[in-house]
Amino acid sequence: MKPVSPEEFHNLLQQGVLIYDGAMGTNLQVQGLGSEDYGGRDGCSEALNLFCPEAVIRVHKAFLEAGCHVLETNTFGGTRITLREYGLEDRVEEINRRAVEMAREAIDAVPTAYHPLIAGSIGPTSMLPSLGNISFDDMAAAYEEQMKALLDAEIDIFQIETCQDLLQIKSALYAAEKLFKARGYRCPVVVSVTLEPSGNMLVGSDLSAIVAALEPYEFIDMLSINCATGPLEMVRHVAHLAEYWPRAVGVMPNAGLPENVDGKPFYRMTPAEFASFHRRFVSEYGVNMVGGCCGTRPEHLAEVVKQVSALKPASRQTKRQAMAASLFTAVSLRQNPAPALIGERTNANGARQFRDLLEAEDFAGMTSMGREQARGGAHLVDLCVAFVGRDEVADMKKLVPMFASQVNLPLVIDSTSPAAIEVALKNHGGRCVINSVNLEDGGSRLRTIAALARQFGAALICLTIDEEGMAKTAARKLEIAQKIRGILKEEFAFRDSDMIFDPLTFTVASGDAELRSSAAETLKAISLIRDQIPKAHTILGVS
């Protein structure tokens, strides 16, 4: 049996507001469970799936009786990474499978006028890859193991939630896409980020960076905000998502900000207050899904059902911009005033100072040069470590995390090596640009790099070069640009706004009569590309 299809999921959203359940942890804690219920793994909610499943089923039943449309499984900490802390890392499959079975048992026991869905809760673990706590590949492998168990148990939705790091989200999406390709179908994917009161994720990413980095992943069916704060503190963030995120939007707040009462978290917000915010989210901002996080009880969600279930989300007109992003914030690829500037002093082939630092393996010094590019007015920063005698992949693996965490500019990965590009993409949480691809070898390398760009949501700089060499006339430059565009759109579903064309120019002052008109041809080519592919971008390197 396959999960709900994305098309069916979208149809449900068209019919009205999707109402998720509330907090699992809060409603387990009020049951007065003892250590034996946890099998001696105190504090591990997922252990209840093995040792006291009836406690979890009681929570599910209560939310179904409140009228919720979607149950989240008790698998928030269901990866090997988290379960290892309790000696349960070898029971990942069993814990996740039982969680889905228990949700289904509750659904079978509580009659409803609708068909409830089951969302597999996939938490952030305690590791942050952007801070070097874990590698991208290790985190992706842990997510793949959990997701496989959830899919095998016939989950309806992947709920990647309480996310605190863009690179953590990308590792989960990497795992999900791998599974989807292997199985030939996919379930809906919901990504839910957690924002501190400042409005940033724990690693510092603001909402513009979140939207820019995740928007190219077209299999994300909904972007949501959950946890950390109550609904009042989320209002401006929900408004931002509603304005800039092009697909469905969700919100699952806590029952207000937590207070410390007798050493325990206490949530003061009443069900009526909680539900009134959800009514506002739906009727003013067009939110498609609502639910509850920490502190929310069945009575909170029952009131949400009462106030929201008959509403239709307000219509939204989103503002889509072509963006690149650092780990922290986004930058438009079309600056006003133009142009967008790429700082290229951090290029081993173009800057002697950077090359000397690379040969000395002074990675801190190289990162400092990246920060200088930001202070100098660059909008993006180029990074090239391809140099004779060096291991480009190893240098990228060392330097990209430093650039990601210390340079507040989007990264332009300047390499022709697919292996170096892949390791850079696996170590940067923002939306990168890859420089560059062309048709010099007929398109083989272009296709390899394009696949990586699509997998990680990167934009591509495309050079007007083919098997005959670098195009000299405006007409040939446009011809090659169109040919590259055709491959990217037809074979990889690239959008025009993901492409940046560099029509190139020869040295004008060389004295070669044949090249005397090269600058004029390049300028003419820029106009032609702009006219023929208006949503794409153009760029020109100046040496």
Side-chain angles (χ1 to χ4, degrees):
M1 179 176 164
K2 291 182 181 179
V4 171
S5 71
E7 292 74 22
E8 291 169 325
F9 184 69
H10 295 157
N11 288 338
L12 284 173
L13 297 178
Q14 291 296 318
Q15 294 169 22
V17 186
L18 200 60
I19 302 175
Y20 270 58
D21 58 10
M24 176 60 73
T26 296
N27 291 283
L28 290 172
Q29 291 161 13
V30 298
Q31 294 185 37
L33 302 173
S35 182
E36 67 280 2
D37 296 310
Y38 291 90
R41 278 80 167 185
D42 295 23
C44 180
S45 295
E46 292 72 25
L48 295 168
N49 299 355
L50 304 175
F51 305 109
C52 189
E54 59 271 17
V56 178
I57 293 172
R58 279 195 290 269
V59 176
H60 288 323
K61 286 181 177 179
F63 283 120
L64 286 172
E65 290 164 354
C68 297
H69 305 147
V70 183
L71 297 180
E72 286 199 63
T73 56
N74 184 37
T75 54
F76 183 79
T79 62
R80 175 175 295 270
I81 295 166
T82 302
L83 293 174
R84 186 181 296 123
E85 300 171 19
Y86 302 95
L88 294 171
E89 66 271 25
D90 293 329
R91 303 183 75 174
V92 170
E93 189 278 334
E94 182 183 7
I95 285 170
N96 284 275
R97 173 176 49 79
R98 282 295 296 132
V100 180
E101 291 171 351
M102 292 186 300
R104 194 162 285 119
E105 286 178 41
I107 290 170
D108 291 342
V110 179
T112 58
Y114 50 88
H115 176 63
L117 301 180
I118 304 173
S121 175
I122 301 165
T125 82
S126 57
M127 302 291 187
L128 298 172
S130 285
L131 299 186
N133 302 145
I134 188 171
S135 73
F136 181 97
D137 288 332
D138 287 346
M139 177 155 268
Y143 278 132
E144 184 181 352
E145 181 181 29
Q146 180 185 21
M147 289 173 170
K148 180 180 182 299
L150 291 170
L151 272 185
D152 287 344
E154 300 177 356
I155 202 73
D156 288 307
I157 300 166
F158 277 165
Q159 187 79 15
I160 305 167
E161 63 182 350
T162 319
C163 300
Q164 302 163 13
D165 178 2
L166 283 171
L167 203 52
Q168 168 247 320
I169 298 172
K170 288 187 174 188
S171 69
L173 296 174
Y174 181 90
E177 188 174 26
K178 183 178 178 182
L179 279 172
F180 295 155
K181 285 182 177 178
R183 302 206 175 196
Y185 67 87
R186 77 171 181 90
C187 66
V189 175
V190 177
V191 172
S192 194
V193 299
T194 292
L195 301 176
E196 301 298 308
S198 64
N200 295 340
M201 297 173 78
L202 188 61
V203 298
S205 307
D206 66 17
L207 268 171
S208 74
I210 294 167
V211 170
L214 299 183
E215 188 267 343
Y217 290 85
E218 294 180 348
F219 65 91
I220 298 177
D221 298 283
M222 180 185 293
L223 183 59
S224 175
I225 304 173
N226 81 294
C227 205
T229 68
L232 173 63
E233 293 77 19
M234 290 185 179
V235 170
R236 63 190 175 97
H237 309 317
V238 172
H240 184 102
L241 278 191
E243 188 173 6
Y244 291 101
W245 180 255
R247 297 184 284 281
V249 171
V251 57
M252 296 183 289
N254 294 343
L257 290 171
E259 302 174 29
N260 189 321
V261 177
D262 298 327
K264 297 179 180 179
F266 176 74
Y267 297 88
R268 196 173 297 278
M269 183 167 280
T270 67
E273 291 171 325
F274 184 77
S276 68
F277 277 101
H278 280 326
R279 185 178 184 89
R280 178 181 176 187
F281 291 144
V282 173
S283 61
E284 292 186 24
Y285 301 115
V287 164
N288 306 93
M289 177 273 281
V290 296
C293 206
C294 301
T296 54
R297 303 290 308 280
E299 50 265 36
H300 287 91
L301 275 300
E303 186 64 27
V304 171
V305 170
K306 179 180 175 182
Q307 292 200 31
V308 169
S309 58
L311 298 178
K312 283 274 191 178
S315 61
R316 293 191 291 127
Q317 296 294 325
T318 55
K319 299 176 182 176
R320 188 182 179 277
Q321 293 179 285
M323 310 287 278
S326 70
L327 181 60
F328 307 108
T329 195
V331 171
S332 175
L333 292 176
R334 294 199 177 184
Q335 290 291 313
N336 187 16
L341 301 174
I342 299 177
E344 291 207 348
R345 294 201 65 242
T346 45
N347 184 322
N349 292 297
R352 179 177 295 177
Q353 180 185 355
F354 189 74
R355 182 172 69 245
D356 291 345
L357 291 171
L358 178 63
E359 290 183 319
E361 300 198 351
D362 185 352
F363 294 103
M366 287 185 278
T367 306
S368 179
M369 285 188 68
R371 292 195 297 271
E372 288 174 10
Q373 299 281 273
R375 289 192 291 269
H379 300 109
L380 302 94
V381 62
D382 182 269
L383 179 61
C384 178
V385 292
F387 195 69
V388 177
R390 299 288 309 179
D391 184 336
E392 184 184 3
V393 172
D395 287 336
M396 278 288 194
K397 190 172 184 178
K398 176 71 175 179
L399 200 52
V400 169
M402 297 175 70
F403 267 61
S405 62
Q406 298 178 44
V407 181
N408 193 18
L409 290 177
L411 185 67
V412 178
I413 302 165
D414 193 343
S415 176
T416 58
S417 163
I421 291 168
E422 182 174 11
V423 80
L425 291 168
K426 285 182 175 180
N427 282 279
H428 199 293
R431 190 188 191 209
C432 299
V433 177
I434 299 172
N435 182 25
S436 56
V437 294
N438 59 58
L439 293 173
E440 188 174 21
D441 62 356
S444 175
R445 181 172 288 165
L446 178 150
R447 290 176 169 88
T448 301
I449 294 174
L452 286 170
R454 280 295 287 162
Q455 189 171 29
F456 290 90
L460 269 180
I461 294 178
C462 310
L463 311 184
T464 52
I465 301 172
D466 66 5
E467 299 96 325
E468 297 178 19
M470 187 168 136
K472 296 178 182 180
T473 67
R476 282 279 293 136
K477 292 174 190 289
L478 176 63
E479 179 187 347
I480 295 172
Q482 292 280 31
K483 194 177 297 184
I484 291 173
R485 178 193 184 223
I487 293 171
L488 294 178
K489 286 181 75 71
E490 293 166 19
E491 298 182 28
F492 298 94
F494 264 76
R495 303 165 299 187
D496 287 345
S497 58
D498 298 324
M499 307 175 205
I500 306 168
F501 289 100
D502 186 345
L504 304 170
T505 188
F506 287 91
T507 303
V508 179
S510 65
D512 188 334
E514 186 183 354
L515 301 180
R516 191 167 295 162
S517 63
S518 60
E521 291 294 325
T522 297
L523 293 174
K524 183 179 178 182
I526 291 172
S527 295
L528 288 174
I529 292 169
R530 183 186 60 208
D531 292 341
Q532 296 294 314
I533 320 175
K535 292 186 179 179
H537 317 282
T538 54
I539 192 169
L540 193 61
V542 180
S543 299

